């Protein structure tokens, strides 16, 4: 299966609130749902890693939205 949000947060060294914030901003894709359960996988880990790297480089969340949005339109 995958990980629950708490496990994802621990694996990525971020808070659950940070993951949820990134989701509301469209930076992290929604989880796979199984009833009320939400499952996260490697693509979520990778995306959070990308976002954190861009933040370390000094980009704002708005700038990251543009960068990641541009990647979607190119693919």
């Amino acid at each position: 299966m995958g990980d629950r949000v708490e496990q994802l947060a621990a694996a990525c060294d971020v808070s659950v609130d940070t993951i949820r914030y990134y989701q509301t901003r469209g930076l992290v894709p929604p989880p796979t749902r199984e009833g009320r359960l939400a499952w996260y996988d490697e693509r979520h880990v990778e995306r959070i890693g990308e976002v954190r790297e861009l933040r370390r480089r000094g980009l704002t969340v708005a700038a990251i939205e543009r960068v990641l949005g541009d990647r979607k339109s190119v693919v």
Side-chain angles (χ1 to χ4, degrees):
M1 182 64 36
D3 294 324
R4 300 289 310 271
V5 70
E6 296 84 3
Q7 295 166 311
L8 177 65
C12 295
D13 196 30
V14 297
S15 70
V16 169
D17 288 340
T18 296
I19 293 171
R20 291 191 173 130
Y21 174 69
Y22 288 167
Q23 285 177 317
T24 63
R25 297 297 298 255
L27 299 175
V28 174
T32 302
R33 293 238 172 236
E34 190 176 290
R36 292 185 59 181
L37 297 177
W39 298 103
Y40 298 83
D41 57 30
E42 190 59 35
R43 69 190 169 118
H44 296 97
V45 173
E46 290 172 11
R47 180 50 69 95
I48 291 169
E50 288 179 289
V51 172
R52 291 190 73 202
E53 177 59 28
L54 293 169
R55 291 288 292 146
R56 274 193 284 276
R57 292 182 183 188
L59 274 71
T60 64
V61 171
I64 294 170
E65 288 173 332
R66 287 191 298 274
V67 168
L68 296 179
D70 288 346
R71 286 186 194 170
K72 289 179 199 171
S73 63
V74 172
V75 174

